[in-house]
Amino acid sequence: MNQTLPNHNKPKKESMWLNLGFNLVIPIVFLRKGGDWFGPSLENLLQSPKDGTLVGSVMLLLAISFPIGYGIWDFCRRKKWNFLSILGALSAFLTGGIGLLPGATVSMFAIKEAALPGILGLLTVITLKTKKPLVKLFLYNPDVIQVDLVDQALAERGTTNEFNQLLKKCTWLIALTFILSACLNYFLAIAIVVTEPSIDKLAFNDEVGKMMGWSFPIISLPCMVVSAYAFWLLIKGIRSLAGLSFEDVLTQGQVPKNLAE
């Protein structure tokens, strides 16, 4: 008989469009167009020039509040930490901190842009030999793959060690995407963000928004290609080592007969 996998208390699925909207699109729009749209109103409200530091600082705070707020809202709604939302909120918080910090420079911003993915790349490799390697969060994730089912099939076939070697290979590929992202982030930042925040806050905000817009085709797409290749290798390995098809692995439902009988 076929068995049905437990489906109790499953967390709500996150909306990809909400994630992109609050973590990328809305901050870009606020940083690039917020001064034009809300500058005059803030000028009257704050009694400060619309192209001054105070108005620019408020616009920056408004822009970074969206990814931070979304991360908090998503956690309250799903009762589960969203790693990508945490990264988005942390990046936004650091960007805002640099933009508002007296004496901050564009060089500090470029280093920050490279530091986050660089640190993640190192952690991905360092945690490889721990009980909770980061690769299991990025690829071998129970929200995407039926991990217990795969582990059971691997144990029955005696191919667990071979699968662990495959996970190591995928780990290095994921680490490579972070290192690539760190390098591209740095060079994109120094090429686009050239106005010191202490000199012209609105121009700094606009350049940060412009960089965020360019980061998707220049940084995100190449990293997505490498990540997709790593995921393809993982699925291919599951098929050959565990004897499970793509549909078996991703479908939350019945256990295949060869494991249920």
Side-chain angles (χ1 to χ4, degrees):
M1 295 178 61
N2 289 351
Q3 298 176 356
T4 302
L5 295 175
N7 194 32
H8 304 297
N9 300 322
K10 286 183 61 179
K12 297 178 181 179
K13 290 185 177 180
E14 181 192 15
S15 169
M16 178 186 69
W17 299 111
L18 282 179
N19 192 318
L20 286 175
F22 280 90
N23 286 317
L24 184 65
V25 178
I26 295 178
I28 289 176
V29 172
F30 258 84
L31 288 171
R32 302 216 65 189
K33 297 297 183 181
D36 297 335
W37 294 343
F38 305 106
S41 299
L42 288 174
E43 181 179 30
N44 295 329
L45 179 65
L46 301 173
Q47 297 297 305
S48 177
K50 65 178 182 180
D51 57 350
T53 299
L54 181 58
V55 172
S57 298
V58 171
M59 292 308 308
L60 182 59
L61 285 172
L62 286 174
I64 67 174
S65 69
F66 285 96
I68 293 173
Y70 174 77
I72 296 172
W73 173 81
D74 186 62
F75 173 75
C76 294
R77 183 178 70 97
R78 302 197 302 147
K79 299 297 185 291
K80 181 178 181 181
W81 291 110
N82 184 317
F83 188 73
L84 294 178
S85 292
I86 292 174
L87 285 182
L90 178 60
S91 179
F93 179 78
L94 291 176
T95 297
I98 291 173
L100 299 174
L101 186 68
T105 65
V106 291
S107 296
M108 293 171 61
F109 175 78
I111 292 172
K112 187 277 295 185
E113 287 296 299
L116 279 180
I119 291 171
L120 282 173
L122 289 175
L123 288 177
T124 300
V125 176
I126 291 172
T127 60
L128 182 59
K129 294 185 178 181
T130 65
K131 292 183 179 180
K132 294 183 178 181
L134 279 180
V135 70
K136 290 191 175 182
L137 175 65
F138 301 129
L139 289 181
Y140 197 47
N141 190 318
D143 289 340
V144 180
I145 293 174
Q146 297 189 68
V147 172
D148 292 339
L149 179 63
V150 175
D151 289 344
Q152 178 187 346
L154 292 170
E156 290 182 359
R157 286 172 162 247
T159 54
T160 300
N161 289 336
E162 290 91 333
F163 184 74
N164 287 336
Q165 292 301 314
L166 174 63
L167 276 181
K168 287 183 180 180
K169 182 177 181 179
C170 292
T171 295
W172 284 102
L173 284 172
I174 293 299
L176 176 63
T177 66
F178 285 124
I179 294 171
L180 175 64
S181 176
C183 295
L184 293 176
N185 267 334
Y186 180 79
F187 289 112
L188 191 64
I190 62 176
I192 294 178
V193 184
V194 296
T195 302
E196 300 291 350
S198 59
I199 296 176
D200 190 336
K201 191 80 67 179
L202 287 179
F204 173 79
N205 290 353
D206 183 68
E207 290 166 4
V208 170
K210 183 179 179 181
M211 179 196 161
M212 292 174 68
W214 279 106
S215 68
F216 184 77
I218 294 178
I219 299 172
S220 299
L221 286 181
C223 291
M224 287 170 62
V225 170
V226 179
S227 298
Y229 174 66
F231 187 71
W232 175 79
L233 284 179
L234 181 68
I235 295 299
K236 182 181 177 183
I238 289 174
R239 186 165 57 243
S240 61
L241 296 173
L244 298 171
S245 69
F246 183 75
E247 292 78 12
D248 292 332
V249 171
L250 297 184
T251 301
Q252 297 294 327
Q254 293 182 327
V255 178
K257 291 183 179 180
N258 62 315
L259 294 178
E261 293 175 347

